[in-house]
Amino acid sequence: MSENENSGKILTFERDASFFLRRGRRYLEQNDDISALQSMRRAYAKEPQNAEIAIALSEQLNKMQRFEESNKVLMMIDSEQDSSEVLFGMASNHLALENFSAARQLLELYLSREPDGPYAEDAEDYLDLLDDDEEISAQMGLKNGEDIQLIEDIHRIKSMDIVKGYPEIIKAYQKLEKQYPESFVLQINIALAQFASGESDKAQQRLFRILKRDSKNIKAICMLALVYKSKGKMLQAKETMKRIPVKASYELDELNNLALTYLELGDYEKAAQILKQERVILPYDTTILHHTAICCFMTGKREQAREIYRRLLAIDEYDTIAEYYLALTSSEEPIDSGDWMISYTTPVAECLQRWTYVSEALKKRVEKRSDIWKRDERLRRLMRWIMRYRVDTLRSETIDFLADTKDLEAEAILRDFLMRTDCSDESKKHAFFALREMGAKEPYGMFYNGVWQYGIMGQIEFPGDMPVPYRNVLALILETISSEGLGGAVADVAARIFLYYVEELKGDYPRLTHDQEQAFAAAVSLMAFHATQLPHTPDDICEMYGVTLRRLNNALSKIFLLFDDSNFEDLK
């Protein structure tokens, strides 16, 4: 008999990362997505540097249509370690998020590294689709002169620095309006920005014009109802919703508008019917589940509401907003309407309590921060919340605190923050340099100044009206130079050269095709290599960017028209 048999004790074994990965895959076979995700998260927590585990987790997040989270996991993997799945996985997520330029860059980078790789055929198919304007517009339901360029521009404008405010956002939309005068999508976004900025009369007039052209436009009807509600005209708001056309099926964005409007108007029964249709399409979407929970609670189904917040915490254990609402719905105390927020956030009173708790920790001496971080779980959770929150309150101090911990979890929070599309670039720049201070391995993936960047970022700024093709050129330069392992100096010089060229255009941007984007990136890189005295021939650059020597020379000639010897020397 063994010693364990003599003592009567039960044998134990170490449940390592591979155990939880195997368990997660068994749950997948049983179609239990949430349990699979939980197990894979546990595996990842034990071995965050394990590429196999990280890729499995990212694939599960992708399957559950949590594309941004999937990308954040992939961005933590060294792409050289498992280039094919990392690059192709990120491209797939960006396609789903309608970040078409980022998807294109990653697909092309994948094919340049692995032209015969396991995803090469799929990558080529996706690129063919992105090049087929008519087909992709049809798949996205675009019309009235709308195209994927417009969609990307709208995403870019929506993600403009929060500090710039709605006047700048409206101005950017109106500039775009000259190019797409017939677009309903653009008109709706302008009306929404006007409404959010307090210009409800202007928004109302714009909505009237939309409905004059398309009397059954669901988004315009819903927004008009909300305008009336904001003016205290509830009867008109409810009458307006009666104009909603009856359809056999609605598009997802139409369902979103309907559910939100019915919630705002307090019609929880109708909102619940719409949300039921949405959950068929997006069963794990946080906002849809939150809205469903509100409907459940407001119609007396308190336990069902609690179950939804438990579900959200099962999906993401760090979701402190779900924590708040679970506690709220579990309380026996009377619940005031001010305790609820239709948007997925916490009320002001709760925010103030959280900020107060974190503020106390931020006062501690730097040398004690690592110990405080390790032992205070609530602080770790609330700092995650601050970095996820759209408002910059305490953000700067929290970034400094995270950098002082020198902790892998803190590093992951900062990397996660760089991928946000709804926070200020100034905060992201701060987080970027905090990661450098921590010694976190570069490159860092980030969304900065309207461009997805997968390379080393210099301290660069460019005009807010710079069109997406020109932003693509800059992103391609930074990514390619970084992927070649050439460091930040060449990238910084290349960025300065390109930005000087852009400034000299003085807002008059010639149209660039995709091939011209590649050629301009190649030309600027060649100039940067020359300026930094690194030995790269034109043939090397052509191979690096996949362009012909003729296209490279054409791009160089256009750039040199705006340069002279003196200002080129200044940019070195």
Side-chain angles (χ1 to χ4, degrees):
M1 280 189 179
S2 70
E3 184 178 340
N4 278 332
E5 288 174 317
N6 282 327
S7 65
K9 291 181 179 179
I10 297 173
L11 290 170
T12 61
F13 60 93
E14 176 65 26
R15 295 190 295 178
D16 58 11
S18 60
F19 168 83
F20 288 108
L21 180 61
R22 288 194 301 273
R23 175 184 277 183
R25 286 171 171 160
R26 284 199 298 273
Y27 280 128
L28 274 181
E29 292 171 1
Q30 300 165 18
N31 295 317
D32 187 344
D33 281 325
I34 292 180
S35 295
L37 178 63
Q38 288 178 303
S39 290
M40 289 177 182
R41 285 197 195 276
R42 294 186 72 177
Y44 183 67
K46 286 179 173 288
E47 292 187 23
Q49 306 305 318
N50 185 314
E52 180 188 4
I53 292 172
I55 288 168
L57 174 58
S58 72
E59 287 175 345
Q60 181 60 15
L61 288 164
N62 175 285
K63 181 187 177 189
M64 296 173 73
Q65 297 173 301
R66 300 176 78 89
F67 304 111
E68 289 187 355
E69 289 179 69
S70 175
N71 258 354
K72 288 167 185 174
V73 174
L74 289 172
M75 287 303 305
M76 292 292 287
I77 304 172
D78 181 352
S79 62
E80 296 296 336
Q81 187 177 355
D82 209 319
S83 173
S84 61
E85 285 164 298
V86 171
L87 293 172
F88 186 79
M90 287 196 295
S92 300
N93 286 326
H94 279 303
L95 281 171
L97 292 166
E98 297 182 351
N99 300 322
F100 301 113
S101 297
R104 182 189 291 280
Q105 292 164 29
L106 289 161
L107 292 168
E108 289 173 344
L109 182 58
Y110 167 69
L111 287 172
S112 71
R113 290 186 183 179
E114 299 196 32
D116 300 315
Y119 304 105
E121 188 175 339
D122 289 330
E124 288 170 354
D125 286 344
Y126 282 142
L127 285 172
D128 288 342
L129 176 62
L130 289 172
D131 287 332
D132 189 339
D133 293 340
E134 190 173 320
E135 177 58 28
I136 197 168
S137 294
Q139 288 197 22
M140 294 182 66
L142 302 178
K143 49 193 175 183
N144 300 318
E146 296 161 352
D147 54 24
I148 62 171
Q149 184 69 63
L150 170 65
I151 301 303
E152 286 212 294
D153 281 330
I154 288 173
H155 287 328
R156 173 179 59 82
I157 293 168
K158 281 182 178 178
S159 67
M160 284 173 66
D161 260 358
I162 194 169
V163 295
K164 292 179 181 175
Y166 284 108
E168 289 299 312
I169 289 173
I170 292 169
K171 192 184 297 182
Y173 276 139
Q174 290 174 335
K175 188 169 184 179
L176 201 57
E177 188 178 14
K178 296 174 184 176
Q179 189 177 349
Y180 299 94
E182 300 299 315
S183 168
F184 284 128
V185 173
L186 181 55
Q187 291 297 318
I188 290 289
N189 276 281
I190 297 173
L192 179 59
Q194 289 173 326
F195 179 48
S197 69
E199 298 179 348
S200 56
D201 287 340
K202 288 184 179 180
Q204 183 174 321
Q205 292 305 312
R206 189 175 293 272
L207 292 168
F208 283 156
R209 291 196 295 271
I210 293 170
L211 290 168
K212 188 174 181 180
R213 290 172 55 203
D214 179 7
S215 62
K216 297 181 180 180
N217 189 301
I218 288 176
K219 293 181 183 178
I221 294 170
C222 288
M223 195 181 303
L224 183 59
L226 293 179
V227 169
Y228 283 135
K229 176 182 179 282
S230 73
K231 294 181 174 184
K233 300 177 179 179
M234 284 296 291
L235 182 59
Q236 280 180 274
K238 292 179 179 180
E239 286 297 316
T240 298
M241 291 302 288
K242 292 178 181 179
R243 297 168 61 178
I244 295 293
V246 177
K247 292 186 177 182
S249 63
Y250 295 94
E251 299 291 332
L252 180 59
D253 55 353
E254 293 176 335
L255 292 171
N256 285 334
N257 278 268
L258 286 167
L260 178 61
T261 307
Y262 285 130
L263 276 171
E264 291 280 4
L265 297 179
D267 194 336
Y268 301 111
E269 295 289 350
K270 284 185 179 177
Q273 293 171 17
I274 298 296
L275 288 161
K276 185 177 181 181
Q277 296 178 58
E278 288 192 85
R279 291 198 306 279
V280 173
I281 305 168
L282 296 174
Y284 307 110
D285 183 87
T286 300
T287 301
I288 292 172
L289 289 173
H290 174 56
H291 287 169
T292 302
I294 292 174
C295 291
C296 289
F297 188 85
M298 295 302 181
T299 55
K301 302 170 185 174
R302 184 183 286 242
E303 182 53 40
Q304 290 184 29
R306 283 198 288 266
E307 185 54 40
I308 288 170
Y309 292 118
R310 292 189 194 103
R311 182 181 178 90
L312 284 169
L313 281 166
I315 292 170
D316 179 3
E317 65 175 311
Y318 295 111
D319 187 345
T320 61
I321 299 174
E323 259 180 11
Y324 165 80
Y325 285 108
L326 178 59
L328 184 69
T329 53
S330 300
S331 172
E332 296 302 322
E333 297 293 322
I335 297 176
D336 187 84
S337 59
D339 295 329
W340 288 93
M341 299 289 286
I342 291 178
S343 58
Y344 195 60
T345 186
T346 54
V348 173
E350 172 67 15
C351 289
L352 289 173
Q353 288 183 21
R354 295 179 175 202
W355 287 327
T356 299
Y357 189 88
V358 173
S359 293
E360 290 303 310
L362 292 172
K363 295 174 185 176
K364 304 297 183 183
R365 294 206 307 270
V366 169
E367 59 270 20
K368 291 189 173 184
R369 288 182 170 182
S370 181
D371 290 338
I372 296 168
W373 173 258
K374 287 175 183 174
R375 71 170 183 262
D376 191 337
E377 182 182 354
R378 187 185 179 203
L379 178 67
R380 294 198 301 275
R381 297 177 75 81
L382 291 184
M383 283 193 167
R384 280 182 180 270
W385 169 75
I386 283 173
M387 296 305 290
R388 291 179 178 186
Y389 198 62
R390 194 160 188 259
V391 178
D392 279 349
T393 306
L394 293 185
R395 175 101 18 90
S396 179
E397 299 94 325
T398 299
I399 289 171
D400 288 336
F401 186 104
L402 293 170
D404 290 334
T405 67
K406 311 293 184 188
D407 180 79
L408 280 176
E409 183 182 352
E411 177 187 329
I413 292 170
L414 289 172
R415 285 183 182 270
D416 180 279
F417 176 69
L418 292 181
M419 298 287 286
R420 293 278 296 276
T421 61
D422 58 353
C423 291
S424 73
D425 282 344
E426 203 57 39
S427 291
K428 288 186 187 173
K429 189 185 291 185
H430 187 174
F432 176 89
F433 289 109
L435 283 165
R436 276 190 173 173
E437 183 185 327
M438 294 173 77
K441 185 178 178 182
E442 294 192 48
Y444 314 136
M446 65 189 301
F447 187 81
Y448 182 81
N449 224 335
V451 174
W452 289 100
Q453 298 185 19
Y454 302 103
I456 297 170
M457 184 197 80
Q459 297 185 55
I460 55 174
E461 302 289 345
F462 48 76
D465 66 343
M466 193 165 85
V468 168
Y470 286 79
R471 294 167 183 264
N472 293 346
V473 172
L474 183 57
L476 179 59
I477 291 168
L478 295 173
E479 165 56 30
T480 304
I481 290 176
S482 173
S483 69
E484 294 289 321
L486 298 167
V490 182
D492 285 346
V493 171
R496 287 200 296 273
I497 291 170
F498 182 68
L499 295 174
Y500 176 85
Y501 168 75
V502 167
E503 287 168 7
E504 289 299 298
L505 291 174
K506 303 187 187 308
D508 184 14
Y509 300 103
R511 186 175 183 276
L512 290 183
T513 65
H514 173 62
D515 288 339
Q516 287 171 325
E517 290 176 21
Q518 302 283 116
F520 263 82
V524 170
S525 297
L526 180 61
M527 294 171 70
F529 286 124
H530 171 73
T532 52
Q533 299 182 333
L534 287 176
H536 277 70
T537 67
D539 287 338
D540 294 334
I541 299 297
C542 287
E543 183 177 351
M544 191 184 297
Y545 285 93
V547 301
T548 64
L549 191 58
R550 179 179 62 81
R551 283 193 178 276
L552 173 64
N553 287 330
N554 284 342
L556 281 169
S557 66
K558 291 176 182 177
I559 294 171
F560 276 121
L561 286 173
L562 300 178
F563 275 82
D564 59 40
D565 290 339
S566 61
N567 56 36
F568 180 63
E569 289 298 320
D570 290 341
L571 291 168
K572 292 184 181 182

